[in-house]
Amino acid sequence: MIDTWESKLMTFDLNKPSENPVELTLKNFNRTGFNPHGISVYRDPSSGTVSLFVVNHRPDAQAIEIFDFERETHSLIHRRSVVDALIWSPNNLHAVG
């Protein structure tokens, strides 16, 4: 049997615990093989841009996907993928810039 579930990233407002989580739309990103694991949020102090860094266990490589959060559309816009031979078994990360 092949598992056909689709990975999603969602938000949850801790100030409104009775509301359901809301799925984030992923823009400019191919979700095929998207297997998110650890995540980290970074807010640029000079521009206010909020970015999400996601460990992705892709079928072809281990990657860090970097998205920018677009509040108006509740979307993540894919900025880039970081793939390197030194990233061999990531479980989590901490974005610092």
Side-chain angles (χ1 to χ4, degrees):
M1 182 173 165
I2 297 175
D3 189 358
T4 58
W5 61 275
E6 185 176 280
S7 296
K8 298 176 182 179
L9 295 174
M10 305 181 83
T11 59
F12 181 74
D13 189 339
L14 296 173
N15 294 314
K16 300 175 185 174
S18 62
E19 293 185 10
N20 291 326
V22 178
E23 183 177 354
L24 288 157
T25 301
L26 302 181
K27 295 182 177 180
N28 303 327
F29 185 71
N30 181 351
R31 292 173 68 144
T32 303
F34 184 47
N35 298 296
H37 196 109
I39 61 173
S40 183
V41 175
Y42 176 77
R43 183 178 182 277
D44 186 306
S46 61
S47 69
T49 300
V50 175
S51 299
L52 187 71
F53 292 65
V54 182
V55 172
N56 184 9
H57 298 292
R58 296 182 347 192
D60 64 328
Q62 303 299 304
I64 307 301
E65 308 295 350
I66 304 172
F67 299 91
D68 289 331
F69 178 62
E70 187 176 73
R71 187 176 308 275
E72 298 78 24
T73 61
H74 202 73
S75 302
L76 292 174
I77 302 167
H78 189 250
R79 188 179 345 151
R80 70 185 187 119
S81 299
V82 178
V83 178
D84 190 285
L86 295 175
I87 303 174
W88 59 273
S89 186
N91 288 307
N92 210 343
L93 70 160
H94 181 78
V96 294

